[in-house]
């Protein structure tokens, strides 16, 4: 009886999270003239797309999907992105970081495992300006990282795309204020209140398909400090590196150059849920090398216009 009650409580909680997210998506469509949904082929953006299907079908989405493509993506994520967009029949706009590097003569991050995350800002702001988007919907969650925990659901950016954590609007109950000055932009986070475990429980409940990266597979990795970084066209082992083939999965699928794999035998969503229940380290804390440059790495990027 206790297990049955626990399952019912969990189902009800997921329903509440879903209702809130759908409400936010519909409010975004109602309050803004030209919103966009950022879609990378990662689990959180896939959840957002499925929520949008529930919010707006049988009609079309009232916004396009936008991917800020760093050029360092996992091929599996890009293949899934393209197949998914084709399946649902929605519009995808791709903004290239490679083109931004050439356009602005940008200098890439130096080091063994360079990240283009900070350079995404240029491509993001360009696509916002080109298409005159006044709101960008993203899959960030408050449990991911301390800077993201400071965000509101409607988070205002200034004319330069910059974010000031000290100038946050109050959000009382479910009242969302989409009024902004001309030139300002809003980042919208419908799944702010979800946790990584909530995401996977939702995936399990609705049998949502994901890129194979999220499940255990064998991959050649470089052992870097206490992390496993996959070899690729971007990361080649040095003679001094320890290179090993491990059974791993990914908790997050950012750039191949700065995203570490985790050892795992989880081949099903239920296996992954058990992994998450037992871990005490956040997904970004465990796998994203660029977030560990400093305690304020994410917040510094967000202040400069990063999503």
């Amino acid at each position: 009886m206790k297990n049955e009650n626990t399952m019912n409580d969990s189902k009800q909680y997921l329903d509440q999270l879903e209702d809130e997210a759908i409400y936010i998506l519909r409010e975004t469509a109602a309050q803004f003239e030209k919103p966009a949904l950022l879609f990378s082929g990662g689990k959180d953006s896939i959840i957002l797309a499925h929520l949008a299907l529930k919010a707006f079908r049988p009609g079309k989405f009232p916004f396009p999907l936008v991917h800020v493509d760093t050029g360092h993506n996992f091929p599996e994520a890009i293949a899934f992105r393209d197949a998914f967009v084709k399946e649902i029949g929605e519009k995808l706009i791709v903004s290239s970081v490679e083109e931004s590097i050439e356009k602005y003569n940008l200098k890439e991050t130096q080091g063994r495992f360079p990240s283009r995350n900070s350079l995404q800002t240029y491509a993001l702001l360009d696509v916002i300006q080109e298409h005159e988007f006044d709101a960008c919907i993203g899959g960030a969650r408050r449990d991911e990282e301390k800077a993201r925990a400071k965000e509101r659901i409607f988070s205002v950016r200034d004319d330069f795309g910059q974010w000031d954590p000290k100038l946050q609007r109050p959000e009382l109950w479910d009242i969302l204020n989409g009024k902004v000055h001309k030139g300002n932009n809003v980042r919208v986070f419908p799944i702010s209140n979800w946790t990584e475990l909530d995401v996977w429980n939702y995936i399990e409940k609705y049998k949502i398909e994901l890129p194979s990266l999220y499940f255990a597979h064998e991959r050649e990795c470089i052992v870097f400090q206490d992390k496993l970084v996959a070899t690729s066209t971007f990361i080649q082992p040095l003679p001094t590196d320890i290179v090993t083939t491990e059974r791993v999965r990914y908790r997050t699928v950012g750039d191949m150059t700065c995203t570490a794999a985790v050892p795992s035998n989880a081949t099903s969503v239920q296996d992954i849920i058990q992994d998450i229940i037992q871990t005490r380290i956040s997904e970004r804390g465990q796998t994203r090398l660029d977030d560990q440059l400093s305690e304020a790495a994410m917040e510094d990027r967000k202040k400069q216009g990063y999503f």
Side-chain angles (χ1 to χ4, degrees):
M1 186 66 178
K2 184 177 180 181
N3 288 339
E4 184 178 342
N5 289 336
T6 301
M7 291 175 62
N8 289 336
D9 290 344
S10 176
K11 180 180 183 300
Q12 185 178 26
Y13 181 59
L14 286 177
D15 289 344
Q16 291 171 349
L17 289 175
E18 180 186 76
D19 290 345
E20 178 188 49
I22 289 174
Y23 166 75
I24 292 166
L25 287 169
R26 289 174 175 165
E27 281 293 300
T28 302
Q31 294 194 41
F32 296 95
E33 293 183 7
K34 291 187 176 181
L37 190 152
L38 299 189
F39 184 81
S40 65
K43 68 180 186 308
D44 297 316
S45 63
I46 292 169
I47 290 288
L48 279 184
H50 278 273
L51 289 165
L53 288 170
K54 288 195 171 190
F56 303 110
R57 282 297 190 254
K60 300 284 284 185
F61 288 0
F63 38 67
L65 304 178
V66 173
H67 183 205
V68 179
D69 185 352
T70 64
H72 286 173
N73 301 283
F74 288 93
E76 297 95 328
I78 296 299
F80 186 94
R81 179 200 72 183
D82 293 341
F84 181 80
V85 170
K86 182 179 180 180
E87 179 186 349
I88 66 173
E90 296 292 341
K91 181 180 179 181
L92 174 68
I93 298 170
V94 178
S95 184
S96 168
V97 173
E98 289 275 8
E99 292 178 6
S100 295
I101 291 171
E102 294 181 13
K103 178 180 178 180
Y104 297 109
N105 194 27
L106 301 175
K107 181 177 287 188
E108 297 201 49
T109 304
Q110 301 300 304
R112 184 68 198 285
F113 303 107
S115 167
R116 284 183 169 177
N117 276 341
S118 61
L119 303 183
Q120 288 185 71
T121 300
Y122 296 88
L124 175 61
L125 296 181
D126 276 355
V127 77
I128 288 173
Q129 183 177 33
E130 179 183 352
H131 295 275
E132 299 181 333
F133 295 134
D134 51 359
C136 291
I137 305 163
R141 307 186 323 269
R142 289 178 177 136
D143 74 319
E144 289 181 89
E145 203 273 340
K146 287 183 288 187
R148 286 185 165 168
K150 298 179 182 180
E151 294 271 23
R152 298 293 191 264
I153 290 172
F154 277 12
S155 186
V156 180
R157 302 304 199 265
D158 66 18
D159 297 27
F160 301 100
Q162 297 173 329
W163 173 68
D164 187 345
K166 296 180 180 179
L167 296 176
Q168 293 286 294
R169 291 179 173 182
E171 286 182 344
L172 307 175
W173 300 288
D174 58 356
I175 300 173
L176 301 173
N177 179 6
K179 293 182 179 180
V180 294
H181 297 295
K182 186 174 178 58
N184 285 182
N185 186 272
V186 170
R187 305 292 195 269
V188 180
F189 303 112
I191 60 171
S192 285
N193 294 325
W194 297 42
T195 65
E196 184 185 12
L197 184 59
D198 294 331
V199 167
W200 282 102
N201 279 326
Y202 192 81
I203 290 166
E204 170 66 12
K205 179 179 178 180
Y206 291 106
K207 310 304 178 190
I208 294 172
E209 292 187 14
L210 298 174
S212 58
L213 289 161
Y214 286 106
F215 303 94
H217 59 284
E218 288 193 348
R219 192 174 286 257
E220 183 182 78
C221 299
I222 297 167
V223 180
F224 175 70
Q225 296 178 356
D226 61 341
K227 303 190 185 306
L228 298 171
V229 183
T231 59
S232 66
T233 55
F234 311 112
I235 301 293
Q236 293 294 314
L238 301 175
T240 54
D241 282 333
I242 299 174
V243 181
T244 179
T245 299
E246 299 286 343
R247 191 162 178 79
V248 299
R249 70 176 183 89
Y250 285 87
R251 293 179 70 184
T252 178
V253 291
D255 279 9
M256 295 183 72
T257 54
C258 62
T259 305
V262 296
S264 177
N265 290 312
T267 57
S268 70
V269 175
Q270 278 294 340
D271 291 340
I272 292 172
I273 288 171
Q274 291 306 310
D275 273 3
I276 295 169
I277 289 172
Q278 294 173 22
T279 189
R280 292 294 178 267
I281 307 174
S282 72
E283 58 204 282
R284 294 190 72 95
Q286 185 177 24
T287 66
R288 297 299 286 273
L289 303 177
D290 55 326
D291 284 349
Q292 297 174 37
L293 296 175
S294 75
E295 287 191 7
M298 170 67 82
E299 184 161 327
D300 290 341
R301 293 200 301 272
K302 290 171 76 67
K303 287 178 180 178
Q304 294 164 7
Y306 180 70
F307 189 78

